[in-house]
Each structure stands twice: as C-alpha cells, then as structure tokens.
Amino acid sequence: MAAMTQLESPPAGAAALPEGAEGAAAAPPAVRPGRRRDPSRDADILAATLDVLAEVGYDGMTMDMVAARAQAGKATVYRRWESKADLVIDAVACLKSPPPLDDLPDTGSLRGDLVAMIRTPSVKDAQRKLRIMTGLVSLIDREPELAETTRRALVEPRAAVTRALLRRAVERGEARPDCDIETLASVSAAMASYRTLMLRKPVDREFLLSVIDGVIVPAAVGAPGH
Amino acid sequence: MAAMTQLESPPAGAAALPEGAEGAAAAPPAVRPGRRRDPSRDADILAATLDVLAEVGYDGMTMDMVAARAQAGKATVYRRWESKADLVIDAVACLKSPPPLDDLPDTGSLRGDLVAMIRTPSVKDAQRKLRIMTGLVSLIDREPELAETTRRALVEPRAAVTRALLRRAVERGEARPDCDIETLASVSAAMASYRTLMLRKPVDREFLLSVIDGVIVPAAVGAPGH
Amino acid sequence: MAAMTQLESPPAGAAALPEGAEGAAAAPPAVRPGRRRDPSRDADILAATLDVLAEVGYDGMTMDMVAARAQAGKATVYRRWESKADLVIDAVACLKSPPPLDDLPDTGSLRGDLVAMIRTPSVKDAQRKLRIMTGLVSLIDREPELAETTRRALVEPRAAVTRALLRRAVERGEARPDCDIETLASVSAAMASYRTLMLRKPVDREFLLSVIDGVIVPAAVGAPGH
Amino acid sequence: MAAMTQLESPPAGAAALPEGAEGAAAAPPAVRPGRRRDPSRDADILAATLDVLAEVGYDGMTMDMVAARAQAGKATVYRRWESKADLVIDAVACLKSPPPLDDLPDTGSLRGDLVAMIRTPSVKDAQRKLRIMTGLVSLIDREPELAETTRRALVEPRAAVTRALLRRAVERGEARPDCDIETLASVSAAMASYRTLMLRKPVDREFLLSVIDGVIVPAAVGAPGH
DNA sequence: CGATAAACGAGACGGTACGTCGCGTCTTCTG
DNA sequence: CAGAAGACGCGACGTACCGTCTCGTTTATCG
C-alpha cells in the first residue's frame, strides 16, 4: 500500500474515450458538470489489485476481491478499466521502480558502472514484485499491450542505462568500438526474465554479477569481467 | 496435423494416475474386459489442442473447442488428461523439435559451430510454434511443472549442445579457459524467449546471428564474432 | 403532461420525513438561508414519472429515466421522495379523477343512477391510465401502503357513491331491504381491476353496463337490469 | 415440496424451441444423442422457486437462492427458463389446484351447489398460495403471458364450474333464463383477487359465502341467497 | 453366439467468475 | 443552500467455462 503513495497521477488507464470529433469551436474547456471521479479511488484500486495479485496470482484474483479490498463497487472499477486484464496492466505499470539515477556515477570501469546499477531493494519488496510479475505472465499472451507496458515500465529504463554505460566504455576506449551495444543492452533483461519464469529462481546479486562478469563485460571488453 | 504423425505413444500424461488399486499380485496381465482405448484419439486430441492453442491462445482455448475439433467427447479427453493444463503441457511436449544432431560437425571455429546449430524450419511452422509457446506462457505461473517440461523439452537440448561447443572451443584454445560456460549456454534461450514474449518478434536467423556475433562469441573468445 | 396542470401542490409525499430536527420552538418563521426549493420541479418530476411509467411499466422505469426526462438531477428527486416506490405512489395519487359528483342526480331508478356514474373519458387517456395502473401493480406486493392509497384515491370514492345509490334504492323501495350493500358496492371495482389485470381488456362502457345489468341491479332489485 | 410430487410432467416451459422448419423427411424420431435432461431437476427447481417465492416474494427472490435450494447450478436453471420471470410463471402454473370435481354433486339448489364448490384447503397451504400470488403480482404487468397462465390454471377451472352450475340452475327453473351467466361466472374470481390484492384480506369461507349470498345467487335467482 | 463391460460422442450438471445495470447516496460545480 | 450532473457502494442478473456425470451406442473379450 505504502508503495502506492508515490503515484499521484497513475497511467491514464481506460480514461481515453473514443469520442471522435471534438466538435464545434464552442467550449472545449467548458467544465463538465457532475461529480468528478475521485482520483484516490484509482490509487486504492490499483494498490488493491497489486496486493491481491501478489497473494493469489492473476487467475486466482477476482474482481470482487479487488473491489472489496479497495472498498469499492465493481462498477467503480469497471468505470475505469474495461476488463480484469486492463486493470492488471495498469496496476503493473505502477510498479515502475524509481528510474535509475540519471547521474550515472562514473566508476572508471564498465564493470564498476554496471555493478553500481544493481540496486538491492528490500527482499520483501523484490519477492512481492516477482510474485506479481510471474502471476501476471498469464496475460502477456492475451494482451500484447502488456508486454509493451512492462517493457517500457520495467525493462527499458535499465536497458537505456546499460546502453549509456556501454557507450561511455567505448568512448573511454575500454570497450571494443564495434561491440553490439543494442544486443548487449538487452542481455540483462533477457537473462533476468528467463531466470524468473523458466528457472523460477530469484534474480539476486550473485546472478546479476555472473551475467555482468560472464557475459556483458567480456563480450564488450574482450576480457573477463573480474 | 502432419506434425503429429510421429507421436504414436505420446507422453504417458496423467492417464496413469486414476488407476486406483493396481497392487494385488493377482492378475496384472489379466486383460480387462470391455472396449479398449482407441490410441488414435490421443493423437487427434493433442493435434486439436495445438491447433486451437495456436489460434486463440491458452485462455481463449476451451475444452469444448478441443473436443469438438477432435470429434471427441469431453469425457474422452478427461479420461486421458486430468485438466486443461495437463492436456496443454502434454501437447506442447509433442512440439519437441528433433534433438540437435549429436554428431556435432566440427567446423573448426566456435562461430561456425554455433551457426551450424541454427536450423531454419519453415517460416509458417516457426510462427505456429511461437504462437503456441506464447499462448502457453499463461500456464507457467500456475503449473511450475510446465516450466520444467518446457525447459527440458525445448531449451535444455540446445543449451547442452552450446555447452559442448563452448567446451570444445576452450579445448581448442579458441575460447578463454575461464569463460563462464554455464551462463553463456543459457544466453541463447534467454534472448530468444525474451524476444518472443516481450518483444513479440520472430526468432529468425538474423536475430540468432546477432546473439552469436554480438554476445556469445565475443564473450567467449574475447574478439568480435565476425 | 397536460393532465398534470391541475396539481400545483401534489401530495406532500415522504418529503416531510428526512427533515431531522424541526422542533425547537426557536424560529419556525425564521426564513432559512439558502435557495428555496423550486415547487415547479415537483410537478415536472411527477409528470415525467407518469410518462415513463406509462411507457415501460414500473420495473422498466428507471430513476435516471425519470430524472433525465424531468431535466432534473437524481438528488432533486430523492430530496422529495424517499424511494422509487414512494415516487410512483405519489405520482399515481395524482391520477385521481375528480371525485364523482356529490350531487348525485336522482334518475329515479337504481340502474339510471349507476349508469349516470359512468364517465367516459377520452379513450387515449383511459388507456394511459390503464397502462399506468397495471404497471403499478408490481408495487402492491412490496408496498402495502400503495394498495391502501390506490383504494382510497381511486376505488373508495366510487364505491361510496355506489353505496349511497344502493341505499337510496332501498329507501325508494326499488331494492330489496336485505340486500348486501357492502359487498355489492365493491363488485364494480373488483370486476374492473380483474378485467384490467387478468384479462387485460379495457374497462369500457359496454363492460360496465354488463356489470350493472348482469350483476348489481339484478342482485339488488331481484330483476334483470334492463 | 410434497405439493410438488404430483407434477410429473410440468408445463413445457421454455423447452419449446423456435426451430422452424423441421427439415427433410429423414429421421425426426432419430434419438438425440447426449445426456438427457433430468426431469427431476425441473420439479426440484420449480419447488425451490415456490418455496423461495413464498418466503421472500418475487423481488426478494434470487436466482442463486433458487439454484442453491434446488442444489442446482444457475446454468441448469437458465437452460430451462430464459429468465427469472419465465421461471416464476411456470412455477405458478404448478400451483394448479386439483381441478374441481367434474362430477358436480347436484345439491338441488344453486346456492347449495356453489357452497359445495368451496374447498377448504389446509390453512397453511392457502396462506402459502396467497403469499406466492401476491408476491407474483409484480410480474403480471411485465409478463402478459403470466396473466393468461394464471387465469387458465387457477381461475378458469372454477369459473367453468360456476358457469355449469348456473346453466343447471336455469334449466332447473331456479335461475332466471335471461341471467348473464358469463359475467356472473367471473364475479367470484374478481372479488377474490380484489380482496387479496387490494384489501389484503384472506379469501376465507365467510367471504366466499357473502359473495354467493350477496351477489351471485340473488343476481341469478332474483331472491336473497339465504 | 450371446452376455458383459469398458470406451466413445454428445451434452446436461454443479459451481464460480465475469461484466452489466439499477438503486439510493455522495460530491462537485453553478445559480 | 437548491439544483443538474454524475460518480460511488452494493448487489442481482444472465453468460461462459471447468471438470464431472449420465445417456445411448459401439467394440472388444469372456463364458
């Protein structure tokens, strides 16, 4: 729940109506009458969704469960999201980890930079996220949008950082100038998701170090990572 | 459908479970009276399962759909598999590509060996498999067994080959003696599944080459792959 | 709508209940601050209620429909009536036909008197009322109060007149002195409602004449009505 | 429940499909494959419906309640009846009282015949029926079919008997030859339903006697009933 | 060769979640 | 404050799917 407080304006969600032509020049900014949607309900519902998701997984999760836990009516949920899948997609988008610091501390070596990227969140939090993500894999097939959302929210930020670090290493003369930055940048994410889904093992520091030292650094630099 | 002909005796599946009392030394060979199970139904049902799976994905697939397409009754299906998940797991196990040739042609270089591993099945067949695999991801969370099955059937064989090739390259003096064979061997599978699930792009020859040339070979050999 | 013009101050309805504290002798005449209730809304809402009721029946009728048709907010409706049932009860009470003339023209015979009671409103109006009344039957079970209201508003006045006419006929020597005035007075209402609800036929002049001539007059007088 | 045992073949219900053209001369009697509908479920569900209806009325009744009490799934209910209304209509049709004996005992007088018609079922049973009927009035408006069903099942049989008795009285010379048999035959039903719905009083022996002695007999015979 | 018993196609059954809709309340903004 | 607009909590509706069961039929083995 606490993890939710940071999202004041959650992903637009299903709010985007297919209204089509906005119409005459009249009064687009004319304040719409009626009670406004309570934005706090969005956050409550999303938080409840993540809670339930972490507890029973996607298939075990019931819309009534979510509504009940959020102290909301089902109609309130469905007013915001068209379906269970939509709701979960948005909820996951809220898991967005705080973006990797843009001020990348230059440790002087590619390995040092990459290791510095490894954040060790609270174990409990990490397990929760993992539980959610695996429980949510069910959806990736049905909702292509989810793959995109997840990628953008969870994967791309870190990949972007890796790309930057690799570029810096090349400029620094540490990495080979012809190294395939694009491919290498996605190795971490690929290995992590593979480990999570197929191997069902935690993506811990040790594992990430073995990816850095066994794959990325040697591939980029041409020498063992350690 | 044609892909099915090879499996005359599909994985035993859950059919063995509900036997009940089997023990009494009395008459195991005593042929039970009554009609015998028609073995051809297994193959038909599995084929129908794969077809439906490829068309509508795991969650869109209905047991009635499968039964209808296989011209079978639901009881006939449930007599052989305990649940939808069980059925799908077995069906997927039938996708097992013929194991990578054990006689690994030694091309003289790690890159050559790895490239030789790339088989190019018909595009249509590959897309079908891809569709099935993504549609099946829904299950990985619910059925840990499936992850294991899939890994063993589809992933491990190729990983084992890669391991062997890497070892050979080390012995040959081409690859660094300290290279992390274990981790590198799983890179292909990880990158492929990531591309399939998250990026929803085909795992084509070009992509596999970029993994070989951009990651594995440079990481192992310490020099660009090409 | 036109039928509505006569009711400027409709039955107080349940509006009196939710007032809360009213008591304190302090300042009953002290004009409360704030905007005064717009009395014209009452009539509009009641009219809309009858319209909708006539079109779709009680169960088909929605509070939103009523509010929308009356160009009113739901709160405005609920500020005046506690519930859908309350609203409908009041609306129906407005259908009250002007009470049968108290100056009963003495035609000289029971039959003449009874026939004189038959008013023939416009056919369209009668059908509308009929539609409303049947649509309102849904409520009789849930709201015992409604039965009473309806009886008092629509039935009793005519029954009272019939009673009076019967008494006059007895005094006049036309009717048997021992005739069961009480029971006979309710025959008309019973036959009319039965015809409306169960037979779904209009209560037209012909039907009323057959009740007068086939039942009431012969039962009271001991001779055929005509 | 016990009241249900007599109905082996309940009203056809929703079983009547709109199949249209039956098709080629082929095999109309060809046995339809698949499990047959369990007829006992019909009876169980109808009985449960009447029970619930008697306890909480039409609006209080829930399809889940009915299904649960009948130990049935909702699908089983909806396979047989299209809607809650349909179900209730059929259930009510099962209340059909055992048809008035066709061998009408000729008591020698119209009054005697009519009084002999009054059956006094167990008080509890009568109250149950009354509760059901009033709870069901909600439907008469929405489902014109219900009015017809009710009339045929509950009203018409008795009316037919009354008609016959009146005819006999005319033949016997007891009743006036020009009495309006048709109208008089519906007086009982009309008075009873009016008393039930509007007056909410029980249709007991005393009441029925007052109808016979105060209305029917005097109207038909031209003399007080007693 | 007839009896027996299991497997089969078809589909009804009990259960449970889904997504919709209505009621009566609450909240926002305007007069 | 009243009024229009509409979001909210609640709960019933009718649908769809799962996994089981029951039909009547077909197919094998046994007596």
Side-chain angles (χ1 to χ4, degrees), chain B residues 166-197:
Chain B
L166 283 168
R167 255 192 303 272
R168 192 156 71 186
V170 169
E171 289 163 9
R172 186 193 283 143
E174 180 184 6
R176 269 196 304 271
D178 62 347
C179 77
D180 188 342
I181 291 180
E182 206 51 45
T183 303
L184 283 175
S186 66
V187 166
S188 277
M191 295 290 283
S193 56
Y194 178 74
R195 185 174 177 86
T196 299
L197 297 180

Side-chain angles (χ1 to χ4, degrees), chain B residues 129-149:
Chain B
K129 265 194 196 174
L130 185 144
R131 184 74 189 79
I132 292 175
M133 290 307 299
T134 60
L136 168 156
V137 172
S138 317
L139 265 183
I140 284 197
D141 176 50
R142 270 167 295 185
E143 299 289 335
E145 180 192 351
L146 173 60
E148 184 58 18
T149 298

Side-chain angles (χ1 to χ4, degrees), chain C residues 54-140:
Chain C
E55 286 171 21
V56 298
Y58 178 79
D59 291 292
M61 167 183 138
T62 288
M63 292 305 263
D64 295 80
M65 280 186 197
V66 172
R69 172 146 346 187
Q71 285 275 93
K74 278 207 291 176
T76 302
V77 178
Y78 278 101
R79 198 174 291 119
R80 290 165 160 78
W81 293 277
E82 277 196 335
S83 67
K84 179 177 171 180
D86 269 6
L87 170 61
V88 170
I89 289 174
D90 262 25
V92 168
C94 295
L95 282 179
K96 170 176 23 210
S97 30
L101 316 323
D102 290 321
D103 54 313
L104 309 157
D106 190 333
T107 65
S109 75
L110 175 59
R111 181 177 192 274
D113 289 355
L114 290 172
V115 169
M117 266 186 70
I118 303 177
R119 217 89 45 70
T120 33
S122 85
V123 175
K124 217 177 154 182
D125 208 49
Q127 281 183 339
R128 187 185 133 99
K129 264 195 197 173
L130 185 143
R131 185 75 188 80
I132 292 175
M133 289 307 298
T134 62
L136 166 155
V137 172
S138 316
L139 264 183
I140 285 196

Side-chain angles (χ1 to χ4, degrees), chain A:
Chain A
M1 213 62 134
M4 228 58 248
T5 54
Q6 71 209 60
L7 61 104
E8 213 49 0
S9 51
L17 309 178
E19 27 206 324
E22 185 64 51
V31 276
R32 167 171 59 48
R35 178 175 176 178
R36 235 64 53 188
R37 277 193 197 171
D38 182 349
S40 78
R41 309 314 289 126
D42 293 72
D44 288 355
I45 294 169
L46 289 172
T49 303
L50 290 175
D51 278 359
V52 176
L53 213 48
E55 286 172 20
V56 299
Y58 179 79
D59 291 294
M61 167 182 140
T62 289
M63 291 306 261
D64 293 83
M65 280 186 199
V66 172
R69 172 143 351 182
Q71 289 273 91
K74 274 207 291 180
T76 301
V77 177
Y78 278 102
R79 198 175 293 118
R80 291 164 157 77
W81 294 277
E82 279 194 339
S83 67
K84 181 177 170 180
D86 267 11
L87 169 60
V88 171
I89 289 174
D90 262 25
V92 168
C94 294
L95 281 180
K96 173 176 17 218
S97 29
L101 315 324
D102 290 319
D103 54 312
L104 310 158
D106 190 333
T107 64
S109 76
L110 175 59
R111 181 177 191 274
D113 289 354
L114 290 173
V115 169
M117 264 185 70
I118 304 177
R119 215 87 48 71
T120 31
S122 84
V123 175
K124 217 175 155 183
D125 208 50
Q127 281 184 338
R128 187 185 134 99
K129 267 194 195 176
L130 185 141
R131 183 76 190 78
I132 292 175
M133 289 309 298
T134 61
L136 163 159
V137 172
S138 322
L139 265 182
I140 283 198
D141 175 50
R142 267 169 296 183
E143 301 292 335
E145 184 189 349
L146 172 61
E148 184 58 18
T149 298
T150 306
R151 213 177 51 72
R152 264 212 306 269
L154 300 177
V155 170
E156 190 49 41
R158 304 186 78 90
V161 173
T162 307
R163 258 192 298 272
L165 297 183
L166 284 169
R167 257 192 302 274
R168 191 156 70 186
V170 169
E171 288 163 9
R172 185 194 284 145
E174 181 185 7
R176 269 194 304 271
D178 61 347
C179 77
D180 187 342
I181 291 180
E182 207 50 46
T183 303
L184 283 175
S186 66
V187 166
S188 276
M191 296 291 283
S193 56
Y194 178 73
R195 185 175 176 86
T196 299
L197 298 181
M198 299 299 290
L199 269 28
R200 311 194 82 78
K201 292 181 188 167
V203 177
D204 50 19
R205 184 180 183 82
E206 185 186 9
F207 164 73
L208 290 172
L209 284 179
S210 75
V211 172
I212 292 174
D213 292 330
V215 184
I216 302 180
V217 169
V221 176
H226 32 203

